[in-house]
Amino acid sequence: MAHAENEIQINKPVQEVYAFLANGLNNPKWRPGVVSIELASGTAGALDALYKQVLSGPGGRRIAGDYVITAAVPDQTLSFAVVAGPARPTGGYYMERVGAGTKLKFVLDYEPKGLAKLMGPMIQKTMDAGVGQLIVLKEVLEHGV
């Protein structure tokens, strides 16, 4: 199983961090691989909300990365499952109030099956890069970059 996680301290209130992450339309602001995204069904950031997402894949090829919100506990947990695309990880954002700021952990898990097992190292590298983007999220939230 592929697993990646990263944790960061963001100098913004937990409510603001949660609200930003819950609105999937913010993804292109901090995840450079997101080409486009739209809310396909449900309420933004709510349980069962479905986001249709196009990602930049290997060689610049566009790939689907649609996901659904699987848990939404305001100011604490926001979990999702990727439901379209070549790799379909599950993941979550876990928040904790620390003073006036937020400790944020981003976790991704993926159980490759069939031929995807052969792509294990590439999948792990992609997941590590994904959770590594928390530094960009921090910059966007703290400085509006």
Side-chain angles (χ1 to χ4, degrees):
M1 173 151 104
H3 173 83
E5 66 180 71
N6 191 15
E7 192 171 279
I8 199 163
Q9 178 85 22
I10 298 175
N11 296 317
K12 288 291 181 176
V14 70
Q15 300 90 336
E16 190 173 326
V17 174
Y18 181 88
F20 186 88
L21 290 169
N23 181 357
L25 301 180
N26 287 323
N27 285 352
K29 295 177 182 174
W30 70 280
R31 295 181 53 224
V34 177
V35 175
S36 66
I37 188 165
E38 65 182 61
L39 179 63
S41 66
T43 303
L47 185 65
D48 296 325
L50 174 65
Y51 287 91
K52 292 192 72 59
Q53 183 172 243
V54 176
L55 306 171
S56 178
R61 186 174 54 98
R62 291 178 179 220
I63 56 174
D66 304 355
Y67 69 94
V68 64
I69 302 293
T70 58
V73 181
D75 309 336
Q76 293 179 27
T77 303
L78 187 66
S79 299
F80 60 89
V82 176
V83 295
R88 298 183 184 191
T90 59
Y93 303 100
Y94 305 94
M95 289 148 264
E96 181 181 327
R97 184 180 328 246
V98 178
T102 304
K103 181 168 76 170
L104 173 66
K105 185 189 320 188
F106 181 16
V107 176
L108 288 173
D109 289 302
Y110 177 62
E111 184 67 51
K113 295 175 177 50
L115 292 176
K117 290 181 181 181
L118 300 175
M119 297 172 29
M122 185 176 91
I123 291 168
Q124 185 66 54
K125 183 178 175 182
T126 300
M127 288 173 53
D128 289 341
V131 299
Q133 292 300 314
L134 285 185
I135 191 67
V136 178
L137 176 66
K138 177 180 173 72
E139 289 296 312
V140 168
L141 287 171
E142 291 182 359
H143 306 293
V145 176

